[in-house]
Amino acid sequence: MHGKVSSAGMRFFAHDRGSPTCALAQESMEHHLTKLQLAHAVRSAGWYAELEVRAPDGSWRADVMASSADGVRRMAWEAQLSPITRDELRERTTRYAADGVSVCWVTLSSRLWVGAVPSVVASAPRPGSTERWSVGTGVGRFAIVPCRKKCRCPHGHGRWERVNAPLEDFVAWVLGDRIVPHRLLADDDDHRVLWTAPAYIGQAAAFAAVEREHQAKRTSEERRRRQERHAELTAARDWRSVMPMGRRFRLEAAAARWAETDSGRSACLGHEQIADPRWAGGLPVYVSGHPYAILRPAVDRTVWSELAGLVVLTVGDDERRAVVDRAPALTRVVDLSAWLADRPVGSEFRRPTASP
């Protein structure tokens, strides 16, 4: 078999006459042309290219074997156009590796095995066109793009983008170690192998470290918020949980009665709002849809500016005094003890303003 050039300028293999036992006689024209282009690209990169090179023990046969000018390095280029499984390709790649030979698998259409081993999808030019053979799948670069999502990540989002390149350039990059096979973690159990520059691998690793740190901080913040929420819920329900149910119902009813009597309008209790941090564990009392009073807030957690204008409802003299000692001047504090005894009279106290 020998190489020829068609009238359209396409290189191809031609069988010598009288060679019925040629090992390449059963190969398709696509396969012949692909190997020829690979060999041409290898030679253009300054390496030697041999066709159909076998291992000494016959464990592999390279379509194109590239050898460096000093003879130290070898790399196999396989034109894989016939059906094959991922496991078969991995096994064949392992056999090459056992003899110190790296390999790149080249196909002309999308295959399920592309990415399972170092591989690319090449494209042949249309007949009569001035286009060159190119590589469209299997080569990539890492890029960081600004975040346009609701999360507004401060460092953006990292992703691998496909790179298109002439086949000759791709082969030269590989043989010159400008790009190397890099294994990416995929969403499934498989891994995807991509040809990329070492600099992009470093950028991806650095970005992944930043992403892990950001995720760890976000997870820690979410945990802290859950703990605070739990603490707020626990504190909010603390006095209600330890108080006997019957007494709690009477106290809440007394708070509603007092608010209706004091305002002259209907009142309701905001049980669904009790966990709101601004109530400090107290139970809000609403009149005409607006907060009117707060029942038994935790004095040590109260932000008094949040309760400005609201009446603080307490039970017992000790609780009333504790609120009076902490609350701002003129905060209205009402002891509901009398209302619990069904007497419509409350013990009310206003903290006086400080003496001038």
Side-chain angles (χ1 to χ4, degrees), residues 88-109:
E88 289 175 315
L89 275 184
R90 288 183 177 125
E91 182 183 355
R92 291 174 62 180
T93 301
T94 300
R95 290 204 297 266
Y96 275 116
D99 287 340
V101 179
S102 56
V103 60
C104 180
W105 301 87
V106 181
T107 185
L108 300 183
S109 60

Side-chain angles (χ1 to χ4, degrees), residues 10-68:
M10 296 290 292
R11 294 182 175 86
F12 64 96
F13 287 109
H15 291 279
D16 296 326
R17 292 183 179 181
S19 302
T21 58
C22 177
L24 305 179
Q26 303 301 317
E27 293 184 351
S28 67
M29 181 59 68
E30 270 190 325
H31 196 249
H32 294 335
L33 291 174
T34 303
K35 292 200 300 185
L36 184 60
Q37 288 300 322
L38 289 172
H40 174 71
V42 169
R43 290 169 184 145
S44 297
W47 286 45
Y48 297 109
E50 298 178 78
L51 304 180
E52 301 299 323
V53 176
R54 291 179 177 271
D57 60 359
S59 59
W60 48 261
R61 185 184 69 185
D63 286 336
V64 178
M65 178 61 74
S67 302
S68 60

